[in-house]
Amino acid sequence: MKFSAMALIAVGLAACGPQTLTNEVTYAPPPPLALVALIDPSPSQASSEFRQLEDVVRSNASPGEAIVVMLIQPGFGTAYLVRSGDSLSSIAAAHGLTLAGLESANPQLGPVSGREWRLIHPGEQVMIPNGSPHAAAVLVSKAPAGPPPPLLLRLPRAPSNPTDYQRAQYQRTVAADNATNAQRVAQWHSDAAASLVPWQAQVASDLERASAGQSTAGSAPDATVLSASLIAATTTLQGLSGRRFLLLLGGGDLGPGKFSAGGLNGVNVVVANVGDANAAAAWTSAAQGAGALSVKALDPSLTQLQLTQIVDQ
């Protein structure tokens, strides 16, 4: 949940937005985080995994980031491919569901991704819950947009065939403009971080309440339940934009379910608390085969040491 470190301003300007003044451009912040986390609902695991996720949330945040937290449990059902003429209402009616229940199972189709529920498109996937009251995500939240991005100075073009004096003058100008731009970006990051503190506190509080609700409920998942939960998580992620992370906090020792070809395209995968080295290797192979951008399988010790930094990268 950390802002990407800005490299040279001269390089960063190439990705900035439309020109607003002849010598200024609008800074384009790094894409926001889109995080879907899966938690083992069994009382022996849920509490510690909720705390780990809370640490991730408190460590940093990016404007506009989305977070969806699901429990690894029955109830997610199957994925339905949207056809022309479908609406969530018609899909819900056809499957004997309430519209609210279908929306709860598909947060990626609503405000967390900046969408209106009524707008779905052919080719999208909609999760059809199997009627279990536990099918909905336990937490869905979107961070505030933060302050407007700053204006940055457009760097001057290098002179052609310059004299030594012109070359030195150009280098001084570039250095001064880069310093000004770096200061403006740093100030924006600071202001953005400050604006997100209340949201981070609210999400952490919501996670604590969710954890308390699992103190006596839930059972350890099996491989079938894990596979169904992963389908729901990846379907949700594919509907979100930004730096997409699938964070599996529990169930890793069961080994990976089957991912469809390309099912993890554009997704960073983190499998935490994996005590079995063979399972860790299997997760890495399966996620890479499904097109994941990156895969990290962490044993319990590395989870404690590295989880926050990996998600915050």
Side-chain angles (χ1 to χ4, degrees):
M1 295 193 173
K2 186 176 184 181
F3 302 119
S4 297
M6 186 181 68
L8 293 176
I9 295 292
V11 175
L13 284 174
C16 291
Q19 185 172 343
T20 54
L21 295 174
T22 56
N23 67 331
E24 289 184 317
V25 291
T26 302
Y27 171 61
L33 181 73
L35 176 68
V36 174
L38 285 168
I39 289 178
D40 184 335
S42 57
S44 62
Q45 300 297 324
S47 179
S48 62
E49 291 173 15
F50 271 111
R51 282 197 302 271
Q52 289 170 345
L53 183 55
E54 185 179 337
D55 289 341
V56 170
V57 171
R58 288 187 181 278
S59 68
N60 216 319
S62 55
E65 77 177 42
I67 179 170
V68 178
V69 184
M70 301 174 172
L71 298 178
I72 307 171
Q73 58 186 6
F76 288 111
T78 58
Y80 170 84
L81 191 66
V82 176
R83 296 174 294 185
S84 179
D86 280 341
S87 67
L88 285 183
S89 296
S90 67
I91 295 171
H95 290 86
L97 301 168
T98 65
L99 178 59
L102 189 61
E103 290 176 348
S104 294
N106 292 276
Q108 76 280 7
L109 302 178
V112 74
S113 60
R115 295 177 54 166
E116 297 181 19
W117 289 110
R118 63 185 179 84
L119 298 176
I120 58 174
H121 309 286
E124 291 185 317
Q125 289 189 321
V126 174
M127 292 304 302
I128 308 297
N130 65 5
S132 166
H134 303 294
V138 297
L139 187 147
V140 178
S141 188
K142 186 177 181 65
L151 295 176
L152 303 183
L153 299 174
R154 186 183 294 275
L155 300 182
R157 292 182 179 179
S160 59
N161 300 318
T163 64
D164 289 345
Y165 172 79
Q166 289 173 325
R167 184 181 296 107
Q169 187 177 44
Y170 166 75
Q171 291 172 345
R172 284 194 297 270
T173 300
V174 168
D177 288 353
N178 269 329
T180 297
N181 288 341
Q183 184 178 23
R184 291 179 182 181
V185 171
Q187 185 62 55
W188 180 83
H189 281 299
S190 177
D191 293 343
S195 73
L196 296 177
V197 169
W199 176 80
Q200 290 172 275
Q202 181 61 57
V203 172
S205 177
D206 291 343
L207 290 172
E208 288 178 3
R209 283 195 294 272
S211 177
Q214 291 301 124
S215 60
T216 59
S219 57
D222 59 22
T224 300
V225 170
L226 176 60
S227 292
S229 300
L230 285 169
I231 291 173
T234 54
T235 299
T236 299
L237 268 178
Q238 294 298 344
L240 301 177
S241 59
R243 297 177 292 117
R244 293 181 290 176
F245 272 80
L246 172 61
L247 173 56
L248 182 68
L249 286 164
D253 284 333
L254 294 172
K258 291 184 178 179
F259 294 109
S260 61
L264 291 174
N265 284 346
V267 176
N268 300 280
V269 178
V270 181
V271 186
N273 302 306
V274 186
D276 186 326
N278 291 329
W283 276 107
T284 300
S285 177
Q288 289 175 341
L293 281 178
S294 66
V295 187
K296 297 286 186 182
L298 308 175
D299 64 29
S301 296
L302 287 178
T303 297
Q304 297 299 324
L305 292 172
Q306 299 181 5
L307 179 62
T308 296
Q309 291 82 357
I310 289 172
V311 178
D312 284 352
Q313 65 187 0

